[in-house]
Amino acid sequence: EADIYQTPRYLVIGTGKKITLECSQTMGHDKMYWYQQDPGMELHLIHYSYGVNSTEKGDLSSESTVSRIRTEHFPLTLESARPSHTSQYLCASKGWSDRESSGANVLTFGAGSRLTVL
Amino acid sequence: TQLLEQSPQFLSIQEGENLTVYCNSSSVFSSLQWYRQEPGEGPVLLVTVVTGGEVKKLKRLTFQFGDARKDSSLHITAAQPGDTGLYLCAGVALGSSASKIIFGSGTRLSIRP
């Protein structure tokens, strides 16, 4: 019963095209994240946001940009896609988990957007 | 710089065997989370450990947080094919932004029937 949605799930495009990966969450979470992950490999933080009009770069340098105009929406844009951008992009939001008695903030992930740039 | 190192990177064992996955760091973490990710999906939270020395059990999975809060382990008893997946530890290092959650390098687990 995912409450965070990513579109498109799969995208194959040519070099030089502009793309936007959409991410929306219905949980009212302030903090949102974008991670980049090659198949079966670790997640690298590329962008995060504390809330509306707040964006920060993560540890992995990325040519992508993000915006946070509304709490529920955190899109990622590549102005000119290249083959080196081929990867899976995972969006997540951070809030309290009902399952966790510790009350620690946990991440809820979308299903991901797999991007292939030819 | 990889703050969270996981070992082993890959593990393939027979159904019914036991295994342990490790997550180590030179940094202190306020808490650590363990996630499991299946192909084509996002990671799903398994557990959070907060207190140094804490042990949490989730059916056949046992999670432990090191006394110094720099490391954690995941032990699976009598592994089953349904345990197959990528296991990731994650957390926020003390002194870094409270929003900057980083992930470990991951352990890919395969359980053979």
Side-chain angles (χ1 to χ4, degrees), chain A residues 37 39-43, chain B residues 2 4-13 19-24 34-39 46 72-76 83-90 103-111:
Chain A
Q37 181 186 34
M41 303 298 285
E42 63 202 279
L43 279 71
Chain B
Q2 184 59 45
L4 283 170
E5 296 286 348
Q6 287 186 239
S7 61
Q9 190 176 0
F10 301 96
L11 185 57
S12 178
I13 63 171
L19 67 107
T20 302
V21 174
Y22 300 92
C23 174
N24 296 296
W34 283 91
Y35 292 81
R36 191 177 89 187
Q37 184 181 22
E38 298 189 20
L46 294 174
S72 182
S73 65
L74 157 61
H75 182 80
I76 301 179
D83 296 327
T84 293
L86 179 67
Y87 288 80
L88 297 154
C89 62
F103 278 78
S105 44
T107 294
R108 178 157 296 283
L109 177 62
S110 175
I111 309 300

Side-chain angles (χ1 to χ4, degrees), chain A residues 42-83:
Chain A
E42 63 202 279
L43 279 71
H44 293 286
L45 180 65
I46 51 175
H47 299 284
Y48 61 102
S49 168
Y50 292 102
V52 171
N53 294 325
S54 145
T55 61
E56 301 285 344
K57 289 193 177 294
D59 289 329
L60 182 67
S61 175
S62 174
E63 293 166 343
S64 59
T65 58
V66 292
S67 62
R68 191 86 184 277
I69 299 173
R70 303 198 314 266
T71 298
E72 62 271 22
H73 197 212
F74 191 39
L76 180 146
T77 298
L78 275 165
E79 289 294 331
S80 179
R82 296 204 302 269

Side-chain angles (χ1 to χ4, degrees), chain B residues 27-42:
Chain B
S27 301
V28 177
F29 285 78
S30 56
S31 67
L32 277 179
Q33 288 79 44
W34 283 91
Y35 292 81
R36 191 177 89 187
Q37 184 181 22
E38 298 189 20
E41 300 295 330

Side-chain angles (χ1 to χ4, degrees), chain A residues 9 31 33 35 37 40-43 45 48 50 59 88 90 94 99-100 102 104-107 109-111, chain B residues 2 33 35 37 40-43 45-48 50 56 86 88 97-105 108:
Chain A
R9 286 292 311 273
K31 297 181 176 68
Y33 303 79
Y35 289 88
Q37 181 186 34
M41 303 298 285
E42 63 202 279
L43 279 71
L45 180 65
Y48 61 102
Y50 292 102
D59 289 329
Q88 169 153 273
L90 288 161
K94 184 179 176 185
R99 291 202 294 118
E100 283 295 312
S102 65
N105 286 356
V106 298
L107 291 174
F109 280 88
Chain B
Q2 184 59 45
Q33 288 79 44
Y35 292 81
Q37 184 181 22
E41 300 295 330
L45 179 73
L46 294 174
V47 79
T48 296
V50 179
K56 278 191 173 179
L86 179 67
L88 297 154
S97 163
S99 294
K100 201 172 178 182
I101 300 172
I102 61 168
F103 278 78
S105 44
R108 178 157 296 283

